[in-house]
Amino acid sequence: MVSKGITIYSYISVTGYEVEFSVPNGRIINTENDNHSAKDLEVESKNIPGKENYTGRFIWRVLQNSREIANRYNDINSLTGNLEGGNMKSTLEDQSIFIGDVIISYGFYDAGSGKAGLTNKDQCFVTVTANQSTWMGSLAPQGSPAALKPFSRFVLVAPHDDGMDTMQNSDAVINALDASNIFKFKENIPEIQWFGDLLPSEVLVHMLPDIVYALAITQKDTITSMLGLGARYFEFRPAFPVPLFTEISHLENKPYFQHACIPGLAYDVFLDQIVAFLDTHVAEIVTVHVRWDGIVSECRHPTTDELNAAMETALSKSKSNGHLKCGTIESLTQSIDELRNSGQRLICMVETDKYDSWTAEAYATLTAAPIIERFESMNTEGQESHPLTVLQCQATSQSIKEVLVYSVFAANAATSCLSETKAMLDQQTLPWIRDNVLTRLQAEKPIVIMNDFIDGATVDVAINLSRARLAL
């Protein structure tokens, strides 16, 4: 008998819903009582019909009052562990499902044999939560006592590296590269140098899409969907492409989100989606924090005039008759209704200081322990000298050489090491934030919860903490 294990996670916060996970001759039904827990299933050859057949179907179903409203599946070979088919074979295609007032977020990690500290069990998470397109308006309605409180009482959700939700622009560059010019990636991205030491340039060119996927793709939903999920804080690193990349490809020479020098979402497209959302959600406020952490020197930063022009162009497309305006860092201390009444519902800051849990050493991990230790080290006194407090839930395990190299050599579109740790870390980081923030971080400063592959569980923690802080 051979088998392939699957660790399952779910989070449910809407009444009447369950998540059923099943494999041949095995089934688990999770309710809200199973939030932040992990369980295991096995695709076992003995339970699969057919003497020469080793492939069994893993499927999850979301049930509303016992009626199925959504499902996804993968066919898993119990002998090799490989995916033989299904509709969760690519992380970027695992986009959240909007059904009425409910959002289902999910993800799947296709595990290898467990090298470099990675698990040998596939991972799958499903969250079922309310549509949070209007959560700020619901918590602090116009004219209510809560809306008279400072904006800084909100706890905001931030998608980590929000502009890396697409391969479209990076593919435009990668598809134009060859052995003669791949040196530009090698010299600017240390992690790619690891592969350059192992492979000739001709081979490295063909593997580059898998390397970039494992290294940089941190989100799977569009900005519009992230806003619907409840995200309200976005750190965006806009910069122009490396000149060589625009010379050899059809990539337009304008600012894109940059992961080192890997281009993600275009800045103008990002702003347009936020403005369109704010036009139709008039009680919501979005914060954009422009930063340039880790961007290579060849990627020119937009000037202040260019940033202002991009914002003005985006605002000019608003259907608010000029009422939607751009706020600044000073907006953080104004009341919620002051911002709404003045139209400052798109707050934009540039390279603002922050009290952040992230360090390169602590977050190069496959476990939650060093991240929790960083959370434990933070306190109200530390907040006081910074305008923002940021708690990052995601690991940067791709910075561990063996992890990234193994993930790429075993690569398909569902083997990113970032998706390997997502649900396991959330199971520990989110309850810590839920249980400790109100007592440990009491300064009158906005608190940001950042995460990869943004989901409803992360958003729920932020909303519930916001509710408590607005009641103070």
Coordinates of all heavy atoms in Angstrom, one line a residue, residues 252-286:
E252 N 6.0 48.2 -21.4 CA 6.0 49.6 -21.4 C 6.9 50.2 -20.3 O 6.9 49.7 -19.2 CB 4.5 50.1 -21.3 CG 4.3 51.6 -21.5 CD 2.9 52.0 -21.4 OE1 2.0 51.1 -21.3 OE2 2.6 53.2 -21.3
N253 N 7.5 51.3 -20.7 CA 8.5 51.9 -19.7 C 7.7 52.9 -18.8 O 7.6 54.1 -19.0 CB 9.6 52.7 -20.5 CG 10.7 53.2 -19.5 OD1 10.9 52.5 -18.5 ND2 11.2 54.3 -19.8
K254 N 7.2 52.3 -17.7 CA 6.4 53.0 -16.7 C 6.6 52.3 -15.4 O 7.1 51.2 -15.4 CB 4.9 53.1 -17.1 CG 4.2 51.8 -17.2 CD 2.7 52.0 -17.6 CE 2.0 50.6 -17.6 NZ 0.6 50.8 -18.0
P255 N 6.2 52.9 -14.3 CA 6.4 52.2 -13.0 C 5.5 51.0 -12.8 O 4.3 51.0 -13.1 CB 6.0 53.3 -12.0 CG 6.1 54.6 -12.7 CD 5.7 54.3 -14.1
Y256 N 6.2 49.9 -12.3 CA 5.5 48.7 -11.9 C 5.9 48.3 -10.5 O 7.0 48.8 -10.0 CB 6.0 47.5 -12.8 CG 5.7 47.7 -14.3 CD1 6.5 48.4 -15.1 CD2 4.5 47.1 -14.8 CE1 6.2 48.6 -16.5 CE2 4.2 47.3 -16.2 CZ 5.1 48.0 -17.0 OH 4.8 48.2 -18.3
F257 N 5.1 47.5 -9.8 CA 5.6 47.0 -8.6 C 6.8 46.2 -8.9 O 6.8 45.4 -9.8 CB 4.5 46.1 -8.0 CG 4.9 45.6 -6.6 CD1 4.4 46.2 -5.5 CD2 5.7 44.5 -6.4 CE1 4.7 45.8 -4.2 CE2 6.1 44.0 -5.1 CZ 5.6 44.7 -4.0
Q258 N 7.9 46.3 -8.1 CA 9.1 45.6 -8.3 C 9.5 44.7 -7.2 O 9.6 45.2 -6.0 CB 10.3 46.6 -8.6 CG 10.1 47.5 -9.8 CD 10.3 46.8 -11.1 OE1 10.8 45.7 -11.2 NE2 9.9 47.4 -12.2
H259 N 9.7 43.5 -7.5 CA 10.3 42.6 -6.5 C 11.8 42.4 -6.9 O 12.1 41.7 -7.8 CB 9.6 41.2 -6.5 CG 10.1 40.3 -5.5 ND1 9.4 40.0 -4.3 CD2 11.3 39.6 -5.4 CE1 10.1 39.1 -3.6 NE2 11.3 38.8 -4.2
A260 N 12.7 43.2 -6.3 CA 14.0 43.4 -6.7 C 14.0 44.1 -8.1 O 14.0 45.3 -8.2 CB 14.8 42.1 -6.7
C261 N 14.0 43.3 -9.2 CA 13.8 43.8 -10.5 C 12.8 43.1 -11.3 O 12.7 43.2 -12.5 CB 15.2 43.9 -11.2 SG 15.9 42.3 -11.6
I262 N 12.0 42.3 -10.6 CA 10.9 41.5 -11.3 C 9.7 42.3 -11.3 O 9.1 42.7 -10.3 CB 10.7 40.2 -10.5 CG1 11.9 39.3 -10.4 CG2 9.5 39.4 -11.2 CD1 11.8 38.1 -9.5
P263 N 9.2 42.7 -12.5 CA 8.0 43.6 -12.6 C 6.7 42.8 -12.3 O 6.5 41.8 -12.9 CB 8.1 44.1 -14.0 CG 8.8 43.0 -14.8 CD 9.7 42.4 -13.8
G264 N 5.9 43.4 -11.4 CA 4.6 42.9 -11.2 C 3.5 43.8 -11.8 O 3.6 44.3 -12.9
L265 N 2.5 44.2 -11.0 CA 1.4 45.0 -11.5 C 1.9 46.4 -11.7 O 2.7 47.0 -11.0 CB 0.3 45.0 -10.4 CG -1.0 45.7 -10.7 CD1 -1.8 44.9 -11.8 CD2 -1.9 45.8 -9.5
A266 N 1.3 47.0 -12.8 CA 1.6 48.4 -13.1 C 1.0 49.3 -12.1 O -0.1 49.1 -11.6 CB 1.2 48.7 -14.5
Y267 N 1.7 50.4 -11.7 CA 1.3 51.3 -10.7 C 0.0 52.0 -11.1 O -0.9 52.2 -10.3 CB 2.4 52.3 -10.4 CG 2.1 53.2 -9.2 CD1 1.6 52.7 -8.0 CD2 2.3 54.6 -9.3 CE1 1.4 53.5 -6.9 CE2 2.0 55.5 -8.2 CZ 1.6 54.9 -7.0 OH 1.3 55.7 -5.9
D268 N -0.1 52.4 -12.4 CA -1.4 53.1 -12.8 C -2.6 52.1 -12.7 O -3.7 52.6 -12.4 CB -1.2 53.7 -14.2 CG -0.8 52.7 -15.3 OD1 -0.4 51.5 -14.9 OD2 -0.9 53.1 -16.5
V269 N -2.4 50.9 -13.1 CA -3.5 49.9 -13.0 C -3.9 49.7 -11.5 O -5.1 49.6 -11.2 CB -3.1 48.6 -13.6 CG1 -4.1 47.5 -13.5 CG2 -2.8 48.8 -15.1
F270 N -2.9 49.6 -10.7 CA -3.2 49.5 -9.2 C -4.0 50.6 -8.7 O -5.0 50.4 -8.1 CB -1.8 49.4 -8.5 CG -1.9 49.7 -7.0 CD1 -2.3 48.7 -6.2 CD2 -1.4 50.9 -6.5 CE1 -2.3 48.9 -4.8 CE2 -1.4 51.1 -5.1 CZ -1.9 50.1 -4.3
L271 N -3.6 51.9 -9.0 CA -4.4 53.0 -8.5 C -5.8 53.1 -9.1 O -6.7 53.5 -8.4 CB -3.6 54.3 -8.9 CG -2.3 54.6 -8.1 CD1 -1.6 55.8 -8.6 CD2 -2.6 54.7 -6.6
D272 N -5.9 52.7 -10.4 CA -7.2 52.8 -11.0 C -8.2 51.8 -10.3 O -9.4 52.2 -10.2 CB -7.1 52.4 -12.5 CG -6.5 53.5 -13.4 OD1 -6.4 54.6 -12.9 OD2 -6.2 53.2 -14.6
Q273 N -7.7 50.6 -9.9 CA -8.6 49.7 -9.2 C -9.0 50.2 -7.9 O -10.2 50.0 -7.5 CB -7.9 48.3 -9.1 CG -7.7 47.6 -10.4 CD -7.1 46.2 -10.2 OE1 -7.7 45.4 -9.5 NE2 -6.0 46.0 -10.8
I274 N -8.1 50.9 -7.2 CA -8.5 51.5 -5.9 C -9.5 52.6 -6.0 O -10.5 52.7 -5.3 CB -7.2 51.9 -5.1 CG1 -6.4 50.7 -4.7 CG2 -7.6 52.8 -3.9 CD1 -5.1 51.0 -4.0
V275 N -9.3 53.5 -7.0 CA -10.2 54.6 -7.2 C -11.6 54.1 -7.6 O -12.6 54.6 -7.1 CB -9.6 55.6 -8.3 CG1 -10.7 56.5 -8.7 CG2 -8.4 56.3 -7.7
A276 N -11.6 53.1 -8.5 CA -12.9 52.5 -8.9 C -13.6 51.9 -7.7 O -14.9 52.0 -7.5 CB -12.7 51.5 -10.0
F277 N -12.9 51.3 -6.8 CA -13.5 50.7 -5.6 C -14.0 51.8 -4.7 O -15.2 51.7 -4.2 CB -12.5 49.8 -4.8 CG -13.0 49.3 -3.5 CD1 -13.7 48.2 -3.4 CD2 -12.7 50.0 -2.3 CE1 -14.2 47.7 -2.2 CE2 -13.1 49.5 -1.1 CZ -13.9 48.4 -1.0
L278 N -13.3 52.8 -4.4 CA -13.7 53.9 -3.5 C -14.9 54.6 -4.1 O -15.7 55.2 -3.3 CB -12.5 54.8 -3.2 CG -11.4 54.2 -2.4 CD1 -10.2 55.2 -2.3 CD2 -11.9 53.9 -1.0
D279 N -15.0 54.7 -5.4 CA -16.2 55.4 -6.0 C -17.5 54.7 -5.6 O -18.5 55.3 -5.4 CB -16.0 55.4 -7.5 CG -15.3 56.6 -8.0 OD1 -15.1 57.5 -7.3 OD2 -15.0 56.6 -9.2
T280 N -17.4 53.4 -5.5 CA -18.6 52.6 -5.2 C -18.8 52.2 -3.7 O -19.8 51.5 -3.4 CB -18.7 51.3 -6.1 OG1 -17.5 50.6 -5.9 CG2 -18.8 51.8 -7.6
H281 N -17.8 52.5 -2.9 CA -17.8 52.2 -1.5 C -17.5 53.5 -0.7 O -16.3 53.6 -0.3 CB -16.9 51.0 -1.2 CG -17.2 49.8 -1.9 ND1 -16.8 49.6 -3.3 CD2 -17.9 48.7 -1.6 CE1 -17.3 48.4 -3.7 NE2 -17.9 47.8 -2.7
V282 N -18.4 54.3 -0.5 CA -18.1 55.7 -0.2 C -17.8 55.9 1.3 O -17.4 57.0 1.7 CB -19.3 56.6 -0.5 CG1 -19.5 56.6 -2.1 CG2 -20.6 56.2 0.2
A283 N -17.9 54.8 2.1 CA -17.6 54.9 3.5 C -16.2 54.3 3.8 O -15.7 54.4 4.9 CB -18.6 54.3 4.4
E284 N -15.6 53.7 2.8 CA -14.3 53.1 3.0 C -13.1 54.0 2.7 O -13.2 54.9 2.0 CB -14.2 51.9 2.0 CG -15.4 50.9 2.2 CD -15.5 50.3 3.6 OE1 -14.6 49.6 4.1 OE2 -16.5 50.7 4.3
I285 N -12.0 53.7 3.4 CA -10.8 54.5 3.3 C -9.6 53.5 3.1 O -9.5 52.5 3.8 CB -10.5 55.3 4.6 CG1 -11.7 56.2 4.9 CG2 -9.2 56.1 4.5 CD1 -11.7 56.8 6.3
V286 N -8.8 53.8 2.1 CA -7.7 53.0 1.7 C -6.4 53.7 1.9 O -6.3 54.9 1.5 CB -7.8 52.5 0.2 CG1 -6.6 51.7 -0.2 CG2 -9.0 51.6 0.1

